[in-house]
Amino acid sequence: MRKKVVIGRRVLKTGLAVFLTALLCHWFDLPATFAVITAIVTTEPTAVDSLKKGLVRLPAASIGAIFAIVLDVTLGQSALTYALVAMLTIFTCSKLKLDTGTLVATLTAVAMIPGTTDHVIADFFTRMSGTSTGIIVSTLVNFVILPPKFGPILVNKVESLFEKTAHTLEKTVEHLLDNEDNDRTHLYRDLHNQLTTTYQLTQFQYDEWRYRKSNEFERRSFGFLKRKLDYLHLVLFHIGKICHLRVNHHISEKEKEEMIAAVRSFKKIIADPLHQIATSHHVVIEDLKQKRGFHTTEEETISLMTLELLSLHKATEELAHITQDERRFSIQESSYPDYIFKRAIQYE
């Protein structure tokens, strides 16, 4: 049973960044409001993003602060001032390709207007000091104190995707055999979008490793998870082809029962975290091969579906093989990450 995480890692990072930012602002007598807002909106999922975007946000915030002071002195604190400051900040950041800093710059700029005094230069450096503090602290918290851990998150995402894929395969075939006219592709498209998002997590971790050490077992485990995602992509490819099939001949009740039984056998393998293949599944595959030979008309729905299931079998066999090998390796090596073959969530 999976453990329920009450407060996620990113929430903790944001809270810690806000606390440290406010503390520093009180120590150095800086306006905490600008700094705290900045710390909240600049907390990123990865330390790499924090570093890269932090280098962009600092000059972008300076641009916003300059517009705020100049227009406040020129036009006063009017509605037009707020509008022009926001528009000019966004436009300038876009032209200078500082897009990732646009939000921080605009918030900083409009928040500066009410507190501007006659001491223009002092106002500029005071506000910029607070904003810079928020950016720097959130980056350091993400990079040093609470660096992201994507391994346990990715494991749970992968297992969840396999479970959803198994369910989608079953529902897709059932709807097809019942000759239902409803759109069967929406579940497939949703899974494909989730798969793309999960692939991004693997890239996040590889980016993290550019700036921090990792051992060979961490990298091997991530390579294994990425290979599982590759096989999941292949499984979704076959489900997508089944989604687009249409019934073009009479299908007997016996044929329906046999196909559903075969699909449910695949469902157990796909949903199983270890993807173990039972002896009974090989019997199902032999029956499918005979059925494929029996249907001489290649364009018959049953024939096409059988072909896709046989192709799916090759993918699941390879998936089971690499999972078995990795599981055996993880047992032999005590330093291997223990979350790969466990279902407990350690981080959110």
Side-chain angles (χ1 to χ4, degrees):
M1 185 176 179
R2 296 181 180 179
K3 297 178 183 178
K4 180 68 175 178
V5 177
V6 178
I7 299 179
R9 197 174 181 84
R10 189 169 181 181
V11 175
L12 288 174
K13 286 191 295 186
T14 304
L16 182 58
V18 169
F19 173 75
L20 293 176
T21 300
L23 192 62
L24 288 172
C25 287
H26 285 305
W27 278 352
F28 295 106
D29 196 24
L30 296 172
T33 304
F34 306 102
V36 166
I37 292 174
T38 304
I40 293 171
V41 300
T42 56
T43 301
E44 296 292 334
T46 69
V48 175
D49 283 342
S50 291
L51 191 61
K52 288 181 178 179
K53 293 180 180 180
L55 295 175
V56 174
R57 284 164 174 160
L58 284 171
S62 301
I63 291 170
I66 291 172
F67 281 130
I69 292 174
V70 170
L71 289 172
D72 181 55
V73 171
T74 306
L75 303 176
Q77 296 180 17
S78 64
L80 181 61
T81 302
Y82 283 95
L84 287 176
V85 167
M87 290 169 60
L88 289 173
T89 302
I90 295 170
F91 176 78
T92 306
C93 288
S94 177
K95 286 296 182 182
L96 296 178
K97 300 187 185 302
L98 302 174
D99 301 279
T100 55
T102 301
L103 176 60
V104 174
T106 307
L107 288 175
T108 301
V110 297
M112 281 183 65
I113 297 173
T116 305
T117 65
D118 294 335
H119 305 286
V120 177
I121 302 299
D123 285 342
F124 173 78
F125 283 106
T126 300
R127 301 298 192 274
M128 279 307 302
S129 296
T131 301
S132 301
T133 299
I135 294 173
I136 293 170
V137 169
S138 66
T139 301
L140 289 176
V141 166
N142 209 19
F143 198 81
V144 179
I145 302 176
L146 283 172
K149 292 182 179 289
F150 294 104
I153 302 174
L154 184 59
V155 168
N156 287 285
K157 291 283 188 184
V158 170
E159 288 185 7
S160 175
L161 271 176
F162 270 101
E163 289 173 1
K164 291 177 181 177
T165 299
H167 177 74
T168 299
L169 173 63
E170 182 183 35
K171 290 300 178 185
T172 298
V173 173
E174 286 178 352
H175 290 172
L176 175 62
L177 294 176
D178 291 337
N179 202 17
E180 296 182 10
D181 294 330
N182 59 321
D183 182 19
R184 295 185 291 271
T185 62
H186 72 282
L187 290 174
Y188 160 78
R189 291 195 301 267
D190 181 56
L191 281 172
H192 196 276
N193 292 335
Q194 292 183 50
L195 176 63
T196 302
T197 303
T198 307
Y199 266 123
Q200 289 176 346
L201 287 178
T202 64
Q203 188 57 51
F204 285 163
Q205 186 62 73
Y206 286 126
D207 288 342
E208 288 292 306
W209 283 335
R210 292 168 55 192
Y211 294 90
R212 66 178 75 257
K213 293 181 180 179
S214 63
N215 60 50
E216 61 175 302
F217 300 112
E218 284 182 305
R219 291 185 175 272
R220 177 185 172 116
S221 66
F222 254 78
F224 165 66
L225 291 174
K226 191 172 184 301
R227 289 176 70 189
K228 285 192 70 172
L229 288 176
D230 292 338
Y231 279 107
L232 181 61
H233 191 197
L234 184 57
V235 171
L236 287 177
F237 170 74
H238 291 298
I239 292 177
K241 293 183 72 174
I242 294 174
C243 282
H244 290 90
L245 293 178
R246 294 293 180 270
V247 176
N248 55 16
H249 64 95
H250 174 70
I251 301 176
S252 66
E253 288 299 320
K254 181 181 178 181
E255 287 178 317
K256 288 183 181 180
E257 291 174 0
E258 290 173 347
M259 294 304 295
I260 290 175
V263 167
R264 286 176 178 167
S265 180
F266 276 106
K267 179 184 177 181
K268 290 181 181 178
I269 298 169
I270 296 171
D272 178 15
L274 298 179
H275 309 293
Q276 300 171 99
I277 299 178
T279 304
S280 58
H281 181 74
H282 292 289
V283 176
V284 170
I285 296 303
E286 290 302 317
D287 290 342
L288 286 176
K289 290 178 180 178
Q290 293 179 10
K291 188 181 296 294
R292 173 66 178 167
F294 176 76
H295 288 271
T296 55
T297 305
E298 293 292 329
E299 295 303 317
E300 284 187 357
T301 303
I302 289 293
S303 178
L304 293 172
M305 189 187 304
T306 302
L307 178 62
E308 292 304 323
L309 291 179
L310 289 175
S311 299
L312 183 60
H313 172 65
K314 294 179 182 178
T316 53
E317 262 194 329
E318 293 174 9
L319 176 61
H321 179 70
I322 67 165
T323 304
Q324 183 182 18
D325 286 349
E326 195 68 15
R327 175 62 173 165
R328 189 182 299 115
F329 181 84
S330 72
I331 294 172
Q332 295 171 349
E333 299 292 341
S334 59
S335 298
Y336 191 89
D338 58 4
Y339 51 77
I340 297 296
F341 292 102
K342 289 186 178 180
R343 299 175 62 84
I345 298 178
Q346 296 180 3
Y347 304 102
E348 188 64 22

